[in-house]
Amino acid sequence: MWSLYPDTGCHCSRSRPADGKRLVMVVIVRAELRYFRDWVTYHHLLGVQDFVVISNECDENHHANLQGSVQSIPCSPSITFLEGFRCAASFQTAAYRAAVKALSSRPDLDPARTRVLFSDVDEFLVVRGGGGEGQTRSPLDTLFASG
């Protein structure tokens, strides 16, 4: 069973694709602290190991709370915060370019095995098939198998 909260069980080893492929999610966040931790946890349990978070928070306390909200997520996902776009206007294209640049400089990400998904906090990846109870394939194995 896939569980959203750590006290009901986290399946860290099952959630990673078997062949080293990785899905990185890039998200812009502003005034969505209430949902952010659950969004990251959900996608991490699907097998997403890396997140690039573009903070557009204007208030220093909101930004600090955003960073703090993900510190205790089980299985320790890699979360990179890009802060150069805080309280910016008309910034989305530049922010996504900065995320791609940050990812391209990471030696641990193999371009042939890495996919990047740009998403919003109100959008949830749904992978149909595979990864169910008793199966050894992760949801991302199913996603990558489809091409």
Side-chain angles (χ1 to χ4, degrees):
M1 175 173 88
W2 293 97
S3 175
L4 184 59
Y5 295 100
D7 59 341
T8 58
C10 176
H11 306 285
C12 301
S13 61
R14 270 188 51 198
S15 65
R16 295 185 181 138
D19 59 1
K21 292 182 179 176
R22 292 170 88 160
L23 177 63
V24 178
M25 294 190 76
V26 178
V27 62
I28 295 173
V29 180
R30 181 174 180 161
E32 296 169 306
L33 175 63
R34 182 174 168 189
Y35 311 104
F36 183 62
R37 178 182 162 77
D38 287 346
W39 183 88
V40 171
T41 301
Y42 171 84
H43 289 97
H44 187 53
L45 289 174
L46 283 180
V48 177
Q49 297 295 315
D50 302 274
F51 298 87
V52 176
V53 180
I54 301 162
S55 177
N56 189 237
E57 295 289 354
C58 293
D59 182 277
E60 191 63 41
N61 288 331
H62 289 166
H63 180 70
N65 288 337
L66 179 70
Q67 290 179 311
S69 71
V70 293
Q71 289 181 353
S72 63
I73 290 178
C75 308
S76 303
S78 169
I79 301 175
T80 302
F81 283 89
L82 298 183
E83 300 182 25
F85 300 95
R86 294 199 38 216
C87 208
S90 302
F91 68 96
Q92 188 171 17
T93 302
Y96 287 152
R97 283 187 183 135
V100 169
K101 184 176 180 179
L103 290 170
S104 65
S105 68
R106 286 187 43 187
D108 62 317
L109 296 179
D110 177 0
R113 297 184 169 280
T114 303
R115 302 294 180 264
V116 179
L117 174 64
F118 297 87
S119 184
D120 290 326
V121 175
D122 63 350
E123 299 171 340
F124 287 77
L125 179 64
V126 176
V127 181
R128 300 201 186 274
E133 188 70 31
Q135 296 184 15
T136 58
R137 288 180 69 174
S138 78
L140 288 188
D141 284 328
T142 302
L143 178 68
F144 282 112
S146 66

